[in-house]
Amino acid sequence: METTSEENQEQSQEKKGCFECCIKCLGGVPYASLVATILCFSGVALFCGCGHVALTGTISILENHFSKITSDHAMLTDVIQLMQYVIYGIASFFFLYGIILLAEGFYTTSAVKELHSEFKTTICGRCISGMFVFLTYILGIAWLGVFGFSAVPVFLFYNMWSTCAAMRSPVANFTNVDSICVDVRQYGIIPWNATPGRACGSTLGDICNTSEFYLSYHLYIVACAGAGATVIALLIYMMATTYNFAVLKFKSREDCCTKF
């Protein structure tokens, strides 16, 4: 009986030790950086994937309906292709940057320092943390611009869609439907000498009914939402990296005080 009671006590102590270890490990997770990383990956994936496909659909719509002469939209085609290559670079960069910031969050969270009592800060570590703070602020400002820029095609496609919806509306009373036009040349997308440059009446309605227009319009909306999610993720990163940098500075002062 005594042996059994001792074994039960040992088992309960082992369970208690495992439970405390799990609690410490869970306490060492930088949840802010983790949420920001998931949000950043999701936002960048939506922006890059949907934006890439939407740009391809935009070229197809322009070539088939608004600018049938290749030389008229050659520069726009080059710009769109360049933007698609930039999208590849953005996706690769933020994949690596998100992992680095998540790793930095793990190493600088206070719970991890409690687990590793020999944790010491160095000037190099504080400089790297400060660099992440500065770089994250710069990227946050840059992505605000990207978010605003991604709203431009949404606005253009919405104007087209609302015009088509107005023509199809039974309430509308138009004497001449062919007089209702959408001229993309006024937005500076293609030059003024591009032919035909605009779509009117039934032609405009046919464009709005195509799968390319419907898909590109909704993909631009999703890409804009992805850019917004990335901005939110970077804001969370800003708070997390600033907090981590403050913790490192506090730890460095504590180390200096304990030396004397």
Side-chain angles (χ1 to χ4, degrees), residues 159-173:
N159 282 344
M160 250 177 114
W161 176 82
S162 60
T163 304
C164 292
M167 287 193 304
R168 292 193 297 263
S169 176
V171 182
N173 185 16

Side-chain angles (χ1 to χ4, degrees), residues 126-202:
R126 293 194 296 274
C127 289
I128 292 174
S129 183
M131 181 191 70
F132 282 135
V133 173
F134 176 75
L135 185 58
T136 305
Y137 271 83
I138 296 298
L139 289 173
I141 295 172
W143 267 96
L144 280 174
V146 172
F147 176 65
F149 180 76
S150 63
V152 173
V154 176
F155 172 73
L156 299 181
F157 272 78
Y158 174 76
N159 282 344
M160 250 177 114
W161 176 82
S162 60
T163 304
C164 292
M167 287 193 304
R168 292 193 297 263
S169 176
V171 182
N173 185 16
F174 296 113
T175 56
N176 187 9
V177 178
D178 292 332
S179 63
I180 301 173
C181 302
V182 171
D183 193 341
V184 297
R185 294 173 297 185
Q186 63 182 338
Y187 300 115
I189 300 174
I190 54 178
W192 280 103
N193 58 356
T195 54
R198 64 177 185 172
C200 302
S202 59

